[in-house]
Amino acid sequence: MKIIFDELATEKIKSFGAVDLALDFNHTLSETNTEVDACAGGISRWRLVAVDKGTTPGTFDGKMESEFGSIYFQDWGKFFWDEHDLKVGHEGSFNLMTLKTDWDTISNNFLIVDFRGKSNVDNKLVQNENLEIFK
């Protein structure tokens, strides 16, 4: 299982220099809690996130190979691509990237982002005691 990048995606990743890379699909590496539709199971944004070397959160317990070394992801999520190779490429617009397998498109709006120097929030469900249902 590996991830393959087209030339434009490769150039963007190279511009980050020495980083760790994580495939984030459930807002784990976010500065703000992002509301997601429960029907989507929290999977609403697919991103390759560059983080400072050695700072990838432990929840990213799976890895796949790439020309940049290991790409980390939350292992439970590999059922989205059935452990097959992933491909990232530009299609139609230089601003939009796709994330695909050989048989399926996973995302038509795949992002490559720089998260170095930022801190992620705790994205666990927080119960608000002020809500009527908790009284």
Side-chain angles (χ1 to χ4, degrees):
M1 179 174 57
K2 62 185 174 187
I3 188 165
I4 303 162
F5 300 98
D6 76 358
E7 185 177 334
L8 291 171
T10 297
E11 287 175 21
K12 182 165 187 164
I13 296 166
K14 282 181 179 177
S15 73
F16 296 142
V19 296
D20 283 341
L21 297 168
L23 181 63
D24 185 19
F25 41 76
N26 67 349
H27 306 276
T28 300
L29 294 170
S30 294
E31 289 187 291
T32 59
N33 273 327
T34 304
E35 291 185 27
V36 294
D37 183 341
C39 295
I43 311 302
S44 62
R45 177 175 66 173
W46 289 84
R47 305 175 308 145
L48 183 70
V49 182
V51 297
D52 294 310
K53 273 276 193 211
T55 65
T56 305
T59 56
F60 289 83
D61 54 350
K63 67 180 178 179
M64 68 180 81
E65 295 309 311
S66 78
E67 64 187 277
F68 302 102
S70 294
I71 307 274
Y72 299 93
F73 62 93
Q74 293 179 28
D75 196 61
W76 62 266
K78 64 186 168 192
F79 74 86
F80 286 108
W81 58 89
D82 199 26
E83 299 191 45
H84 291 276
D85 292 347
L86 294 174
K87 297 174 183 169
V88 173
H90 291 77
E91 292 189 13
S93 168
F94 289 111
N95 295 323
L96 292 177
M97 287 181 275
T98 59
L99 177 65
K100 294 182 170 187
T101 65
D102 283 335
W103 74 94
D104 195 15
T105 299
I106 296 171
S107 174
N108 282 316
N109 191 23
F110 187 74
L111 302 171
I112 298 175
V113 297
D114 187 354
F115 200 68
R116 292 175 293 170
K118 299 180 182 177
S119 61
N120 59 307
V121 297
D122 183 1
N123 281 315
K124 295 178 181 148
L125 178 63
V126 177
Q127 294 181 349
N128 184 342
E129 287 123 16
N130 295 325
L131 293 176
E132 190 65 34
I133 61 172
F134 294 116
K135 293 181 180 176

